[in-house]
């Protein structure tokens, strides 16, 4: 078995243990930023379908090399409006939405004939000023704006917890996102994606109701360049 296949097996085991018998599906996005097309192919061969990238320039040639047929591509990074067209054309999902202006640009640039771009609104749950994402009180207005755009389909919320060894703190931050997600569902939005959990905090995220984890390091090894 290749190292990537073995790592994937380990991640799937962590996910199923964290579910503690709960039957919900947790979708695994393999975060392939900084990784070569060969490594992505290896993950594909081991059964991964979802890949996450966060630099547009790096991702476009990789997507071209791997193709869009067998893989589902998630853009998970901050996005400037001058790159919105590239994301709308090359990706299936955008998980970092935090501005109406970007939502409008993405919707406009989504090619006719493709299904809408699937989006998660990113919420700043860590409280760090440097982190992207909307504040809690901005979630509903942004969700309303997205719902009116034909090129986008709102699937849920995404959040990144502050790096911390403190499981209780991780869980508090993820719980904030879950409450916001449930609030939107109660308000009538049909959502199915609560995207939270990375290599170091997937157990806490799943304990708080995550339905999608974004895992890089535990699948591909440590990254050389900070990302
Ligand atoms: C890099 C990244 C991840 C994956 O992080 P790991 O700690 O390597 O699992 C997940 N989500 C986002 C938004 C990222 O940028």
């Amino acid at each position: 078995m290749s190292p990537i296949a073995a790592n994937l097996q380990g991640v799937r085991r962590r996910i199923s243990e964290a579910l503690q018998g709960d039957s919900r599906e947790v979708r695994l996005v393999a975060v392939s930023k900084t990784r070569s097309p060969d490594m992505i192919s290896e993950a594909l061969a081991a059964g991964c379908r979802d890949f996450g990238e966060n630099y547009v320039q790096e991702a476009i040639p990789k997507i071209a090399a791997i193709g869009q047929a067998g893989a589902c591509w998630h853009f998970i990074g901050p996005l400037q409006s001058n790159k919105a067209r590239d994301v709308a054309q090359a990706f299936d999902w955008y998980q970092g939405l935090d501005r109406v202006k970007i939502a409008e640009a993405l919707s406009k640039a989504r090619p006719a004939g493709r299904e809408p771009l699937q989006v998660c609104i990113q919420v700043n749950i860590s409280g760090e000023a440097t982190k992207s994402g909307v504040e809690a009180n901005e979630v509903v207005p942004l969700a309303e704006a997205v719902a009116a755009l034909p090129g986008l389909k709102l699937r849920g919320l995404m959040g990144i917890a502050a790096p911390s060894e403190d499981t209780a703190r991780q869980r508090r931050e993820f719980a904030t996102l879950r409450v916001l997600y449930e609030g939107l569902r109660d308000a009538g939005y049909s959502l199915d994606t609560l995207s939270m959990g990375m290599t170091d905090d997937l157990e806490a995220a799943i304990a708080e109701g995550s339905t999608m984890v974004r895992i890089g390091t535990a699948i591909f090894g440590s990254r050389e360049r900070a990302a």
Side-chain angles (χ1 to χ4, degrees):
M1 194 187 294
S2 78
I4 288 175
N7 288 346
L8 265 167
Q9 208 171 63
V11 169
R12 294 205 176 98
R13 190 174 317 118
R14 279 176 68 186
I15 292 170
S16 77
E17 282 172 12
L19 278 166
Q20 299 187 316
D22 191 294
S23 62
R24 77 176 185 274
E25 284 278 327
V26 173
R27 189 161 166 180
L28 171 60
V29 176
V31 176
S32 50
K33 64 190 186 197
T34 79
R35 317 298 180 166
S36 66
D38 281 352
M39 292 175 87
I40 298 174
S41 298
E42 212 174 306
L44 262 173
C48 262
R49 284 294 163 269
D50 290 287
F51 295 93
E53 291 282 337
N54 72 344
Y55 305 100
V56 175
Q57 253 122 327
E58 177 197 323
I60 302 289
K62 283 158 70 173
I63 295 174
I66 303 288
Q68 288 174 316
C72 180
W73 295 95
H74 301 245
F75 191 72
I76 58 174
L79 178 58
Q80 264 117 45
S81 29
N82 64 349
K83 293 281 182 333
R85 171 166 297 276
D86 291 324
V87 168
Q89 291 180 348
F91 284 85
D92 303 289
W93 284 67
Y94 175 42
Q95 299 202 27
L97 189 66
D98 62 359
R99 270 169 299 162
V100 175
K101 196 178 149 214
I102 297 282
E104 288 169 347
L106 287 168
S107 178
K108 201 164 150 227
R110 185 67 173 171
R114 283 190 71 183
E115 66 169 18
L117 185 70
Q118 312 294 300
V119 302
C120 287
I121 291 172
Q122 184 176 352
V123 184
N124 181 350
I125 53 172
S126 69
E128 293 166 285
T130 53
K131 284 281 151 61
S132 35
V134 298
E135 299 305 318
N137 63 353
E138 299 167 308
V139 170
V140 169
L142 186 51
E144 278 171 10
V146 172
L149 294 169
L152 304 185
K153 166 82 180 122
L154 184 63
R155 296 291 294 269
L157 300 180
M158 183 274 243
I160 302 174
S164 166
E165 312 260 283
D166 177 356
T167 317
R169 176 175 179 182
Q170 293 171 353
R171 286 193 60 158
R172 265 198 311 278
E173 293 178 8
F174 290 135
T176 311
L177 195 64
R178 173 176 41 78
V179 168
L180 291 167
Y181 175 73
E182 285 167 355
L184 280 180
R185 301 225 304 184
D186 290 345
Y189 289 90
S190 75
L191 307 176
D192 61 5
T193 305
L194 185 51
S195 174
M196 55 189 200
M198 312 187 350
T199 292
D200 290 332
D201 55 22
L202 83 83
E203 282 81 7
I206 288 175
E208 292 299 338
S210 169
T211 69
M212 181 183 274
V213 292
R214 309 174 312 273
I215 309 293
T217 309
I219 296 174
F220 296 109
S222 65
R223 281 181 295 275
E224 276 160 34
R225 92 174 179 246

